[in-house]
Amino acid sequence: MPLALYDTWSRTLRPFTPLRPDHVGLYCCGPTVYDHAHIGNLRTYVFEDVLRRALALNGYTVRHVVNITDVGHLVSDADDGEDKMEKGSRRTGESAWAIAERYTAAFQRDWRALNLLEPTLWCRATDHIAEQIDFIADLERNGYTYRTADGIYFDTAKQDDYGYLARLAVTGLQAGKRVAVGDKQRATDFALWKFSAPGSTRQMEWASPWGVGFPGWHIECSAMSAKYLGPWFDIHCGGEDHIAVHHSNEIAQTQARHGTRLANFWLHGHFLMLDAGKMAKSGGDFVRLQTLIDRGVDPLAYRYLCLSAHYRSSLRFNMEALDAAQAALDRLRRAYRQWPEGGAPDAGAVARFNAEVDQDLNLPRALAVLWEVVRSDLPTSTRRATVDCFDSVLGLRLADWREDVATIPASITLLAMQRDEARAAKEWSEADRLREQLRAEGWQVEDSANGQVLRPLD
Ligand SMILES: [Zn+2]
């Protein structure tokens, strides 16, 4: 059975065939870096990581592109309100650029903590202003834009099938509308370029053929995915909240410029539902990965929890569910550690596991196969080799696990995290200083492909 994926565009489970033999282009909408990522956002990246590993399992070379939205994402989808970066800047007093740097580093730290494979390419919206301006100029030339007092807008009335991805009933949205549309001609139209307010200077603004301002949010993904993967590539991913507006608009723009719907498959991860009360808000803050780590939770236990639900079903999050995931992961690690190396994988179990993965990433059923193997009477070296195969998709780093990791004092872990953060921000002298401080405290830090490894000096 070949890999089959549920495509939101066609609303069907389709056998996956790449557009180019052996290669897959994969674009995933990344974070808006004006604040920390919420664990619900991170669930989507775990699903995308599993997808990427499943593609590799099927022998494909994956070109994986993730964007960083560091400008142009307005507070409201109705194209008014402030830009989130500038708003974040007003909140903290830092420059918009410093905020973008800080939260990009924080996001990438979460990324590594969850053992998500490094993308082939991270791309920032602010590094691709020229590409976005070119894109908008082509849309203008093709007759898809109009100008208002505050920006250049995409005219969705020019496309009969606008909103097909979301099965939007656009006529209903337009008739008898009570939606505030401002200067826009209709509710579904969206900003391509917003002008800086007259008489004011923004921290992030650029000259354009239409006036000084900044790009709208949606155009960056169309421009950067076309640049790095071409205007017709294999798979575009995001959260289910992207379907109605962001992805519908990416498709509209790309159709208007390139005549394609951008990606052959559109995949969407579903929400994480937080139990109201306890964890949803702690001191006005939402739950982020660090909140869990501060409570002694291993980030990979959160990863395990994500794997335990199908990506197209909503997952209920609460501390009990997370504790159960941590207990299951601990049980798995302890069993694995006792198994000797040197065996060969059990072909039947591997085939059953892979078949579940290939059926639209059915990880809950794949985990059931894993636990059958753990509890089986197969030779222990066979179990180890088989579970090693599984872990290439699960990404739980079973072979790297050392129980003594838990004995690293919290103050040392904190120094190591600060060093990791400094490295991500390319503050090399600060990173070196923290390495020396760790050494003075008796700890050696080494950088591996999987992140930092701490060892006591002997
Ligand atoms: Zn996007």
Side-chain angles (χ1 to χ4, degrees):
M1 281 291 284
L3 175 63
L5 299 170
Y6 186 84
D7 171 31
T8 308
W9 177 269
S10 61
R11 298 288 196 275
T12 56
L13 194 63
R14 293 169 55 202
F16 177 77
T17 320
L19 299 171
R20 198 157 65 91
D22 305 329
H23 290 264
V24 175
L26 172 65
Y27 185 90
C28 300
C29 289
T32 303
V33 286
Y34 71 107
D35 204 341
H36 288 286
H38 182 285
I39 53 169
N41 307 133
L42 296 174
R43 183 189 178 200
T44 304
Y45 300 107
V46 172
F47 136 62
E48 292 162 350
D49 183 66
V50 169
L51 170 63
R52 174 166 164 190
R53 290 165 182 269
L55 290 164
L57 185 71
N58 279 272
Y60 299 119
T61 303
V62 183
R63 183 165 166 80
H64 181 201
V65 179
V66 182
N67 68 300
I68 302 282
T69 299
D70 53 359
V71 68
H73 191 162
L74 300 176
V75 173
S76 137
D77 271 343
D79 287 319
D80 48 41
E82 284 178 282
D83 175 288
K84 286 186 171 176
M85 299 305 307
E86 306 260 340
K87 185 166 187 245
S89 169
R90 241 181 305 290
R91 189 187 72 219
T92 66
E94 288 172 278
S95 80
W97 295 97
I99 287 181
E101 275 304 316
R102 187 150 64 86
Y103 288 115
T104 300
F107 178 78
Q108 291 173 336
R109 196 168 59 241
D110 287 352
W111 186 279
R112 290 190 292 269
L114 289 168
N115 196 29
L116 307 179
L117 298 173
E118 192 69 9
T120 317
L121 189 75
W122 295 100
C123 48
R124 290 168 201 260
T126 51
D127 288 337
H128 297 81
I129 300 296
E131 286 85 349
Q132 296 176 72
I133 289 175
D134 284 351
F135 205 117
I136 300 166
D138 279 350
L139 295 178
E140 185 176 47
R141 206 167 299 125
N142 294 349
Y144 283 92
T145 66
Y146 60 87
R147 184 186 186 109
T148 73
D150 74 353
I152 303 295
Y153 284 81
F154 187 94
D155 185 354
T156 55
K158 292 272 161 65
Q159 285 173 333
D160 291 340
D161 57 350
Y162 173 80
Y164 179 77
L165 180 76
R167 305 297 190 267
L168 287 181
V170 174
T171 43
L173 282 175
Q174 287 170 9
K177 59 176 177 281
R178 302 202 68 111
V179 193
V181 296
D183 280 350
K184 291 197 293 189
Q185 291 171 2
R186 54 194 66 72
T188 50
D189 294 353
F190 55 92
L192 296 164
W193 188 264
K194 294 278 277 189
F195 303 135
S196 297
S200 76
T201 305
R202 290 166 45 88
Q203 297 175 50
M204 289 180 165
E205 62 180 16
W206 295 267
S208 82
W210 312 281
V212 173
F214 59 101
W217 170 34
H218 317 296
I219 194 74
E220 70 177 80
C221 287
S222 291
M224 295 193 288
S225 59
K227 173 169 179 168
Y228 294 114
L229 298 171
W232 177 237
F233 60 89
D234 295 288
I235 308 175
H236 194 312
C237 290
E240 61 175 326
D241 51 327
H242 286 149
I243 298 171
V245 179
H246 183 51
H247 288 171
S248 290
N249 292 350
E250 280 188 44
I251 290 171
Q253 295 162 156
T254 309
Q255 270 178 350
R257 190 194 201 197
H258 297 290
T260 71
R261 58 180 161 84
L262 198 55
N264 189 17
F265 280 77
W266 286 83
L267 267 60
H268 294 95
H270 282 227
F271 285 144
L272 183 76
M273 313 300 284
L274 293 180
D275 273 359
K278 293 170 280 186
M279 286 298 293
K281 302 246 183 215
S282 52
D285 208 3
F286 51 68
V287 186
R288 53 192 182 95
L289 195 60
Q290 191 60 44
T291 319
L292 304 183
I293 295 170
D294 291 345
R295 293 176 71 138
V297 176
D298 183 328
L300 292 180
Y302 179 65
R303 182 179 172 105
Y304 186 98
L305 177 66
C306 292
L307 301 179
S308 71
H310 191 264
Y311 76 92
R312 283 194 296 114
S313 60
S314 47
L315 168 59
R316 180 136 229 115
F317 178 86
N318 52 45
M319 284 313 281
E320 290 71 33
L322 188 61
D323 287 347
Q326 178 83 64
L329 179 60
D330 289 346
R331 209 157 49 236
L332 178 59
R333 285 168 164 170
R334 281 196 298 271
Y336 178 93
R337 197 185 41 175
Q338 291 164 10
W339 299 333
E341 291 179 57
D346 181 79
V350 170
R352 280 186 294 130
F353 180 92
N354 292 356
E356 299 298 356
V357 172
D358 283 351
Q359 193 59 21
D360 197 29
L361 315 179
N362 198 333
L363 266 294
R365 303 235 334 228
L367 283 177
V369 175
L370 165 85
W371 285 105
E372 274 172 38
V373 169
V374 172
R375 295 178 181 127
S376 70
D377 50 14
L378 289 167
T380 50
S381 64
T382 305
R383 281 186 250 173
R384 181 180 179 115
T386 308
V387 170
D388 279 338
C389 292
F390 299 168
D391 206 26
S392 73
V393 176
L394 303 173
L396 296 171
R397 297 182 62 178
L398 292 171
D400 296 340
W401 184 66
R402 302 283 177 274
E403 197 153 28
D404 59 8
V405 166
T407 64
I408 301 174
S411 61
I412 298 299
T413 310
L414 183 67
L415 283 174
M417 279 171 54
Q418 287 169 346
R419 176 174 173 271
D420 202 25
E421 212 165 317
R423 280 168 50 81
K426 299 193 168 54
E427 292 163 359
W428 306 118
S429 60
E430 175 67 1
D432 287 346
R433 189 188 69 73
L434 289 161
R435 175 199 288 273
E436 282 315 305
Q437 196 175 338
L438 281 163
R439 177 174 284 279
E441 307 262 351
W443 291 83
Q444 163 101 23
V445 60
E446 288 160 21
D447 299 305
S448 80
N450 289 322
Q452 302 188 110
V453 180
L454 281 167
R455 291 184 208 293
L457 287 170
D458 28 47

